[in-house]
Amino acid sequence: MNIKIPILLALGLLLAGGGYLLGRGQAGPADQPRGADQPLASIQAAPIYQCPMHPWITSDKPGDRCTICGMDLVAVGGNGAAAAADPDRVTLNAAQIAVTGVATSEVTRGALTRTLRVSGVINDDDTRHRILAARVPGRIETLQVNYVGAEVAAGAPLATVFSPEMLTAQRQYVERLKAGDVASPRAERAAARERLLELGLTEEEIRILDRTLKPTAMVNIRAPLSGTVVSRAVYEGQYVKTNDPLFEIGDFSRMWFVFDAYEPDLAWLRLGQTVEVSVPSLPGQVLTAPISFIDPNLDEQTRTARVRVTLENPERRLRYRQTAQALVSVTTPDHLLVPRAAVLQHSGRPIVYLDLGEQGGYLAREIRLGRVGDTQAEVLSGLNAGDRVVTTAALILDAQAQLAHAGAAADPHQGHRPPVTIPAAPPPPAEAAYGLLRTLAFATADGANALAADDLAAYQQQLPALRAALAAYLAGDAATARGELAAFTGTLAEASDLDAARRAFEPFSTAVADLARTRHLHHREELWIYQCPMTPVLGTARWLSRSRQLRNPFFGSAMLECGEAVNE
């Protein structure tokens, strides 16, 4: 027994040594150390593993999972697409494109259409509006019209005033008439007659006085034009002084629809453009009329100009000072057009992600925009007809590009974005964190726009980009991961109906809007913040919008214009 043990040990050592030598003899070139003359490019780089849903989460270890969604990371090759030399270029493989839902549209030439939705007030024609004041002091003896809203004809009596001053003036005139040309010069009679006209007598009443020669203290207040009594300031028995207001009359046969136009909207408005006006008191009816006046002066506080539309109202269907809504549709031909959904804002500079096609990847490109239409925008430079730009999931690409810039800024000696290690990457610079918040704000605004349009499918299509933007923002900085938005991780799930989607979106939207307001992001990026005081979840909730137009996402078409701007 003692002899067998040393023999077995010797045999094991021999087999082990033979196996080692055999392995050394079959080793390939990759196992040899790189010599001084071997180029660096000949060495196979270690593969990079990347999340298909969140491309900015990468690792150099197989088997790791995404820290956001838990998906298995997939290999993208040695230093693959995630570590491109150009941080403005984002490359995704086929699986990543399918998961993120990247879609592109072609840049074309065509007609640009813009529909302005405005609110205003129906007023009467200012050129046919009169205020009647007392011409003589006295007492109101009789009111022929004693209620507001009465229709009166031109020359109809409205009230009778007892005035001793009128009696004195009439006596002087009658005495000069009786005295004749010898005792009373013609100039004095003419002056006395002018005095009666000044005090409110009509030519007809003076002719009656010429025949009767009987002075009276009664003065009739007559309507200067046909119209409607807008206001009445006196009662019977009331004493009035000269210039005291008595009545206000407006001609409602022709009305003015007046609305305020913001500075950017003035580029679309021209005299003579047709406006479609609707009022709540005439449901289903649309009144069409041209723009008759655009005020050349801007209001210093609101930065708006008043626009007027003249509406004929022979049947008095339009009410004085009622609210009205209107549509102004404008179409201009032959522009280079890019879908609005493709345009992102970087510190006020518009960019798009250009599909490089066979070259692979998507490249961020700054463009110059002209007028912005309903669904498309005019391109002045930066794109050509036939180019394809990303319209869906552009925010996901932008989030990855922002982190690529952050990595390049953190390591200036490295020409490409370093992989984001698991579990977390170093905090990005302040500007990169701002870029992540900007991406989140625009994604939230797009979600609000879809809900305001009652389009559940469009909102669900926006959800991946919205979740990705939130995850990127929370992953960008440890401090943000502990902030208020961290509570919304996993809450933006797909809903079966609009009400459920709006209930989930309302608290999240309010938190993002408040954060954007605190960081003054809405001022830098031309976003607008609106607030509704009667929302179903919070009571008072806020949302972000790319447009000045008020469109409530929490109620949609049921109460589309419920709310107010809070852009201070």
Side-chain angles (χ1 to χ4, degrees), residues 57 81 161 181 290 306 489 524:
I57 301 299
V161 179
D181 294 340
R306 309 207 80 181
T489 302
R524 293 179 58 181

Side-chain angles (χ1 to χ4, degrees), residues 344-367:
L344 305 177
Q345 294 288 335
H346 277 203
S347 300
R349 297 179 294 108
I351 70 161
V352 297
Y353 276 86
L354 185 65
D355 186 355
L356 299 179
E358 296 181 356
Q359 302 177 28
Y362 306 92
L363 181 64
R365 175 174 293 181
E366 183 176 347
I367 62 176

Side-chain angles (χ1 to χ4, degrees), residues 56 403 406-407 410-411 418-430 432-433 436 472 474-479:
W56 58 90
L403 286 176
D411 187 0
V420 181
T421 59
I422 290 181
L436 296 175
L474 295 178
D477 192 343

Side-chain angles (χ1 to χ4, degrees), residues 180-252:
D181 294 340
V182 177
S184 177
R186 183 175 299 179
E188 291 183 0
R189 291 201 305 272
R193 191 175 189 278
E194 290 295 330
R195 176 60 177 165
L196 295 179
L197 291 173
E198 181 184 347
L199 295 178
L201 252 61
T202 64
E203 292 284 356
E204 179 63 26
E205 289 170 335
I206 293 177
R207 284 194 293 270
I208 294 174
L209 181 59
D210 290 342
R211 294 194 302 269
T212 63
L213 299 178
K214 292 182 178 180
T216 176
M218 298 300 177
V219 182
N220 289 319
I221 308 298
R222 299 181 181 274
L225 77 168
S226 298
T228 304
V229 176
V230 176
S231 68
R232 175 178 60 88
V234 292
Y235 294 86
E236 288 186 356
Q238 179 178 342
Y239 281 86
V240 295
K241 298 180 293 184
T242 303
N243 296 327
D244 281 355
L246 305 178
F247 297 94
E248 192 172 350
I249 298 176
D251 181 6
F252 292 169

Side-chain angles (χ1 to χ4, degrees), residues 49-324:
Y49 299 88
Q50 186 180 57
C51 174
M53 187 65 185
H54 307 97
W56 58 90
I57 301 299
T58 61
S59 174
D60 56 359
K61 298 178 181 179
D64 281 330
R65 293 177 177 270
C66 177
T67 57
I68 298 176
C69 64
M71 294 180 63
D72 291 332
L73 304 188
V74 298
V76 294
N79 289 339
D86 185 357
D88 286 329
R89 179 170 173 171
V90 179
T91 304
L92 304 180
N93 58 35
Q96 293 167 338
I97 293 175
V99 172
T100 55
V102 175
T104 62
S105 293
E106 185 177 352
V107 178
T108 60
R109 297 199 70 89
L112 182 63
T113 300
R114 177 66 185 275
T115 302
L116 300 178
R117 293 173 172 83
V118 297
S119 298
V121 177
I122 301 293
N123 276 316
D124 64 336
D125 188 340
D126 277 356
T127 64
R128 297 184 60 79
H129 192 104
R130 299 290 185 271
I131 295 178
L132 278 69
R135 295 189 177 186
V136 292
R139 182 182 69 247
I140 303 297
E141 286 293 308
T142 307
L143 282 177
Q144 282 80 13
V145 176
N146 55 9
Y147 65 93
V148 173
E151 294 287 337
V152 297
L158 304 177
T160 301
V161 179
F162 172 80
S163 173
E165 185 173 330
M166 172 60 77
L167 179 60
T168 300
Q170 288 191 22
R171 283 174 176 172
Q172 291 176 352
Y173 177 69
V174 170
E175 288 174 358
R176 285 174 171 76
L177 286 179
K178 290 179 178 180
D181 294 340
V182 177
S184 177
R186 183 175 299 179
E188 291 183 0
R189 291 201 305 272
R193 191 175 189 278
E194 290 295 330
R195 176 60 177 165
L196 295 179
L197 291 173
E198 181 184 347
L199 295 178
L201 252 61
T202 64
E203 292 284 356
E204 179 63 26
E205 289 170 335
I206 293 177
R207 284 194 293 270
I208 294 174
L209 181 59
D210 290 342
R211 294 194 302 269
T212 63
L213 299 178
K214 292 182 178 180
T216 176
M218 298 300 177
V219 182
N220 289 319
I221 308 298
R222 299 181 181 274
L225 77 168
S226 298
T228 304
V229 176
V230 176
S231 68
R232 175 178 60 88
V234 292
Y235 294 86
E236 288 186 356
Q238 179 178 342
Y239 281 86
V240 295
K241 298 180 293 184
T242 303
N243 296 327
D244 281 355
L246 305 178
F247 297 94
E248 192 172 350
I249 298 176
D251 181 6
F252 292 169
S253 64
R254 185 171 62 192
M255 306 295 282
W256 285 355
F257 169 62
V258 181
F259 64 90
D260 293 331
Y262 290 99
E263 287 185 79
D265 295 338
L266 292 175
W268 297 91
L269 299 177
R270 296 290 183 272
L271 293 177
Q273 283 178 338
T274 300
V275 179
E276 297 179 353
V277 183
S278 58
V279 294
S281 60
L282 299 174
Q285 299 188 39
V286 177
L287 308 176
T288 59
I291 294 177
S292 57
F293 177 75
I294 301 176
D295 195 336
N297 303 302
L298 285 181
D299 185 278
E300 294 183 357
Q301 300 297 324
T302 62
R303 309 306 301 168
T304 59
R306 309 207 80 181
V307 181
R308 179 198 309 158
V309 177
T310 302
L311 301 169
E312 298 299 329
N313 189 38
E315 299 176 0
R316 306 299 195 271
R317 295 185 300 168
L318 297 175
R319 306 295 178 178
Y320 181 50
R321 290 178 179 169
Q322 73 177 136
T323 58

